[in-house]
Amino acid sequence: MIDDLPPLREVIQAHGLSARKSLGQNFLLDLNLTAKIARAAGDLTGHDVLEIGPGPGGLTRGLLASGARRVVAIEKDPRCLPALQQIADAYPGRLHVIEGDAMEIDVTRHLTPPIKIAANLPYNVGTALLTSWLDPPDWPPFWESLTLMFQREVADRIVAQPGSKAFGRLSILTQWRADAKIVMDLPPQAFTPPPKVRSAVVQITALPEPRFPANSKVLQDIVARAFQQRRKMLRASLKGIPGIEDKLKAAGIDPTARAETIDLERFCALARAVA
Ligand code: SAM
């Protein structure tokens, strides 16, 4: 028991929260599990926590029980609001629910630093939200850490190292300015209804500064081109960049190498040579 609120199965029944695929609704109903995910986010005391897609509120309850100063939760499905109101009543002044689309709301004005983000993300907007958090106008970002549930395949791409099939744009974008590790692995049966694939929780902690100097736009443009045709040699996939062969050599990269073998440090060196 993490609180005195009703079990989540009862909450779902009482509020008629049948899961909708279009909203990426795969709910976590085991409060021990949601408490464990909240613990993976580290010490929440004194922090505002942003949660995207609280649904019936399993993770929300875990975050509040773990001592978050405040949880700001954005939920698109209005059917969930009465269930979330019950949680807000049980934790007076600590849960602020915003009805709307997380892709469209400027959350920063609702949050006071220090801020952490934790969510069992809707699969259809998960990667887009992650990339927006990883590429803000200024660094360090408004958040200290991200504790996020993804399909296992996406989690693998986030933490992948050069030489693996999963290594690509998401690995570089994340690891350039953050530490990332998989902290939990979950089978489909952990969710209601169970999705087709396994899931994983990734813990991403912002670094105070990028790991290697580079211009963000240049780095991202290079990485996008390089991985668009990952089987091609870099001198071919990057041929749209004037003088690329010399720039690759200046960055210590063999022009006949393929993108998936090049580490972050070399990509940053190439971004500097191109800029
Ligand atoms: N956090 C709950 C849990 O763990 O049981 C629900 C997770 S479920 C995977 C995703 C949640 O995100 C759903 O409640 C869904 O309604 C909500 N959602 C989907 N798209 C959204 C969007 N664009 N903005 C905000 N919430 C969204």
Side-chain angles (χ1 to χ4, degrees):
M1 280 277 277
I2 62 165
D3 54 37
D4 296 331
L5 289 157
L8 285 157
R9 280 193 196 283
E10 278 178 28
V11 173
I12 285 195
Q13 271 200 333
H15 299 281
L17 300 179
S18 51
R20 295 208 172 130
K21 214 174 165 184
S22 59
L23 285 167
Q25 291 182 336
N26 300 100
F27 299 132
L28 290 168
L29 303 187
D30 177 350
L31 288 164
N32 291 317
L33 189 56
T34 61
K36 199 170 158 195
I37 297 169
R39 281 198 299 276
D43 186 6
L44 300 181
T45 50
H47 285 74
D48 274 12
V49 180
L50 170 65
E51 186 191 0
I52 307 301
L59 180 56
T60 320
R61 286 163 64 172
L63 295 167
L64 288 163
S66 295
R69 173 178 63 195
R70 249 174 105 241
V71 175
V72 174
I74 304 180
E75 176 55 62
K76 197 172 172 183
D77 184 352
R79 297 179 309 156
C80 299
L81 301 184
L84 295 167
Q85 185 57 48
Q86 267 190 326
I87 305 173
D89 293 343
Y91 289 93
R94 290 177 57 202
L95 173 59
H96 178 50
V97 180
I98 301 171
E99 182 190 350
D101 186 336
M103 298 295 291
E104 286 167 13
I105 292 173
D106 173 18
V107 284
T108 49
R109 64 194 183 89
H110 299 285
L111 295 159
T112 309
I115 297 160
K116 294 189 175 191
I117 300 180
N120 172 15
L121 289 172
Y123 74 95
N124 45 351
V125 290
T127 320
L129 282 170
L130 174 65
T131 49
S132 74
W133 292 327
L134 288 171
D135 192 25
D138 300 304
W139 198 269
F142 72 90
W143 49 271
E144 271 178 14
S145 67
L146 313 171
T147 308
L148 304 173
M149 180 87 70
F150 288 102
Q151 299 172 40
R152 175 77 209 207
E153 175 263 326
V154 177
D156 286 340
R157 287 201 274 135
I158 292 169
V159 304
Q161 294 299 313
S164 82
K165 260 168 61 185
F167 185 65
R169 294 171 67 172
L170 210 48
S171 334
I172 290 174
L173 181 63
T174 311
Q175 295 168 34
W176 180 40
R177 295 192 283 201
D179 284 326
K181 59 179 185 216
I182 292 178
V183 290
M184 280 171 77
D185 185 57
L186 290 96
Q189 302 82 319
F191 302 84
T192 303
K196 288 204 175 67
V197 291
R198 294 186 75 81
S199 301
V201 177
V202 187
Q203 176 70 9
I204 297 172
T205 310
L207 297 171
E209 289 176 39
R211 223 174 276 278
F212 308 104
N215 173 284
S216 170
K217 287 221 166 3
V218 177
L219 178 65
Q220 288 194 56
D221 175 55
I222 288 173
V223 170
R225 291 174 194 244
F227 284 98
Q228 200 165 22
Q229 292 159 303
R230 54 190 298 136
R231 299 251 140 252
K232 274 196 171 176
M233 292 179 189
L234 283 167
R235 70 172 174 216
S237 54
L238 300 179
K239 69 172 184 290
I241 300 171
I244 190 60
E245 204 126 357
D246 288 344
K247 286 171 179 154
L248 283 163
K249 286 181 195 154
I253 300 172
D254 175 354
T256 66
R258 294 182 170 82
E260 63 192 27
T261 66
I262 306 303
D263 65 16
L264 173 64
E265 187 171 6
R266 292 268 155 269
F267 270 116
C268 291
L270 181 59
R272 293 196 298 276
V274 169

